[in-house]
């Protein structure tokens, strides 16, 4: 057995358990172009099902990472396990047919109609035209009524949806999409978001790169955040937002009760700030939630009209993460992964 084939066997044995529940496993991935480091010691997982967002500013290494996942760019170092095979290993071509993609621009032939574009891709991927699947895809991407029009007459959003449709030929288990909402107007962005949310209903795992944080927050279940080619953090949207949300509650109550409520929580050792004529910001111990705050008030004869815990937006969390230059970690396990240098390379 050659050293390369032995490495393949060892890699497959190590990841055998994790890949049963993963669409992809990336370990210590790097890519250098001369002195420029595009991707640096990157590790992350893509669980089966759902929509995973690969986010970061322009130049963070998102497109390069997607190209390496597809075998279009050869890594400088590291390993990639996609579905049940190591990228570039023996049998990789067969596995690649189970993966759909749209990288940088939709792969559209303007001289062909939308239906003909899908038929052409069907011939290339599965070796035959499956008209039933093509009709289903046209309906899924909301182009059934424009199926026989040429894309040159389409809006940018329609072209993006057709590109996604092309990536779905062959019923792929995993779809990689590079900035699918880039350059779209608000309605086009909403259409792409709705489409992304529909794909997992058919059993497709989606990895989508984007720098539009507000949309990613609504479209994705899990996030992988990059900066300067390195991992900043990964986890579910709730985990990432939760880990960057302070344990502070806003209590709204009658203006006449503000002073008494302030005294109450100060006496309990809570940090209290007046946030307005009829509200307080209360920072209780970690084991004290809104229900206990409400109980303290009621037992004192004070009744709050509202108790809320303000949460940060993904944009705020992202800015906090990259400016703090943290040790990258998976917030779902709280395990450190690698040191992030956000000052550039």
């Amino acid at each position: 057995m050659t050293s390369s084939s032995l490495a393949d066997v060892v890699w497959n044995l190590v990841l055998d358990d994790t890949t049963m529940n993963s669409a992809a496993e990336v370990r210590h991935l790097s890519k250098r172009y001369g002195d420029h480091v595009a991707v640096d010691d990157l590790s992350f997982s893509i669980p089966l099902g759902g929509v995973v967002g690969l986010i970061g500013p322009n130049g963070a290494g998102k497109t390069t990472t997607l190209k390496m996942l597809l075998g279009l760019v050869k890594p400088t170092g590291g390993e990639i396990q996609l579905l049940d095979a190591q990228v570039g290993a023996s049998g990789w071509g067969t596995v690649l047919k189970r993966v759909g993609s749209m990288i940088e621009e939709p792969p559209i032939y303007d001289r062909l109609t939308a239906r003909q574009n899908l038929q052409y891709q069907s011939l290339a991927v599965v070796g035959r035209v499956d008209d039933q699947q093509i009709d289903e895809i046209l309906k899924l991407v909301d182009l059934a009524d424009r199926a026989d029009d040429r894309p040159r007459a389409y809006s940018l959003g329609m072209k993006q949806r057709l590109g996604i449709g092309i990536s779905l030929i062959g019923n792929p288990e995993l779809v990689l999409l590079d900035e699918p909402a880039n350059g779209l107007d608000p309605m086009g962005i909403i259409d792409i978001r709705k489409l992304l949310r529909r794909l997992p209903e058919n059993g497709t795992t989606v990895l989508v790169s984007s720098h539009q944080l507000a949309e990613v927050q609504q479209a994705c279940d899990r996030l992988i955040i990059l900066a300067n080619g390195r991992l900043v953090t990964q986890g579910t949207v709730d985990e990432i937002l939760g880990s960057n949300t302070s344990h502070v509650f806003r209590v709204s109550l009658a203006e006449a009760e503000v002073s008494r409520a302030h005294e109450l929580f100060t006496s309990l050792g809570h940090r209290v700030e007046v946030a307005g004529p009829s509200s307080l910001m209360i920072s209780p111990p970690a084991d004290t939630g809104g229900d206990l705050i409400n109980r303290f008030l009621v037992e004192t004869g004070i009744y709050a009209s509202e108790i809320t815990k303000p949460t940060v937006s993904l944009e705020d969390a992202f800015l906090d993460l990259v400016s703090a230059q943290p040790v990258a970690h998976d917030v779902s396990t709280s395990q450190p992964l690698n040191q992030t240098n956000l000052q550039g390379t």
Side-chain angles (χ1 to χ4, degrees):
M1 181 179 293
T2 65
S3 59
S4 59
S5 61
L6 178 59
D8 291 345
V9 171
V10 172
W11 173 252
N12 288 330
L13 287 174
V14 169
L15 291 180
D16 183 59
D17 290 336
T18 55
T19 54
M20 290 178 64
N21 297 311
S22 299
E25 292 286 336
V26 174
R27 290 291 177 263
H28 305 296
L29 190 64
S30 65
K31 180 61 184 178
R32 294 176 177 268
Y33 295 97
D35 293 332
H36 174 64
V37 180
V39 175
D40 188 8
D41 194 26
L42 183 60
S43 297
F44 62 81
S45 300
I46 303 172
L48 290 171
V51 182
V52 179
L54 182 66
I55 67 175
N58 290 331
K62 302 187 299 295
T63 298
T64 300
T65 298
L66 291 179
K67 288 181 176 179
M68 287 192 286
L69 285 171
L70 292 168
L72 299 175
V73 170
K74 185 177 181 180
T76 304
E79 301 283 358
I80 306 171
Q81 185 88 359
L82 204 63
L83 298 178
D84 52 6
Q86 184 179 353
V87 173
S90 176
W92 166 242
T94 301
V95 174
L96 193 58
K97 291 183 179 181
R98 297 157 54 196
V99 181
S101 66
M102 183 177 73
I103 306 297
E104 295 183 330
E105 294 182 2
I108 294 172
Y109 292 94
D110 282 338
R111 293 178 179 270
L112 303 179
T113 67
R115 185 183 302 278
Q116 289 170 337
N117 269 278
L118 291 168
Q119 289 172 337
Y120 180 84
Q121 182 71 3
S122 185
L123 285 171
V125 173
V126 299
R128 60 184 177 84
V129 174
D130 186 338
D131 287 323
Q132 180 178 350
Q133 186 194 40
I134 289 173
D135 287 339
E136 291 172 353
I137 290 175
L138 286 167
K139 184 178 180 180
L140 179 66
V141 299
D142 295 324
L143 289 175
D145 59 340
R146 300 290 300 274
D148 297 316
D149 293 346
R150 295 181 180 180
R152 66 180 62 176
Y154 282 2
S155 67
L156 180 57
M158 294 169 68
K159 289 181 179 180
Q160 292 291 87
R161 297 204 307 273
L162 177 56
I164 295 174
I166 291 172
S167 75
L168 298 177
I169 288 292
N171 295 314
E173 299 167 44
L174 173 65
V175 171
L176 310 182
L177 302 174
D178 186 22
E179 300 281 4
N182 200 26
L184 300 187
D185 60 24
M187 286 305 300
I189 292 174
I190 291 172
D191 287 343
I192 295 297
R193 182 209 310 162
K194 291 179 179 177
L195 176 55
L196 293 179
R197 294 306 312 170
R198 287 200 295 265
L199 296 182
E201 295 174 3
N202 298 323
T204 302
T205 301
V206 181
L207 176 63
V208 54
S209 77
S210 181
H211 61 272
Q212 298 177 338
L213 303 184
E215 282 307 309
V216 167
Q217 183 174 349
Q218 298 182 69
C220 298
D221 307 298
R222 187 175 179 86
L223 303 176
I224 300 165
I225 301 180
L226 305 184
N228 294 324
R230 291 189 173 188
L231 180 70
V232 175
T233 191
Q234 63 176 320
T236 68
V237 175
D238 288 342
E239 287 168 345
I240 289 174
L241 295 182
S243 65
N244 288 274
T245 298
S246 300
H247 190 60
V248 178
F249 294 85
R250 177 184 290 273
V251 178
S252 300
L253 64 170
E255 186 173 347
E257 301 286 7
V258 170
S259 178
R260 197 152 64 99
H262 191 291
E263 292 178 1
L264 167 65
F265 288 107
T266 299
S267 68
L268 293 171
H270 300 175
R271 187 166 61 85
V272 185
E273 295 179 10
V274 177
S278 59
S279 62
L280 297 172
M281 299 299 290
I282 300 174
S283 302
D287 59 351
T288 301
D291 56 341
L292 195 53
I293 288 175
N294 189 51
R295 183 188 301 174
F296 290 149
L297 289 168
V298 171
E299 289 175 349
T300 313
I302 302 173
Y303 298 91
S305 59
E306 187 177 33
I307 299 176
T308 59
K309 187 176 183 181
T311 57
V312 298
S313 67
L314 179 57
E315 181 178 348
D316 291 335
F318 175 80
L319 292 174
D320 287 343
L321 285 166
V322 298
S323 63
Q325 302 187 34
V327 173
H329 63 287
D330 183 336
V331 295
S332 64
T333 61
S334 300
Q335 295 299 312
L337 292 175
N338 64 291
Q339 179 69 39
T340 302
N341 175 6
L342 300 171
Q343 300 300 318
T345 54

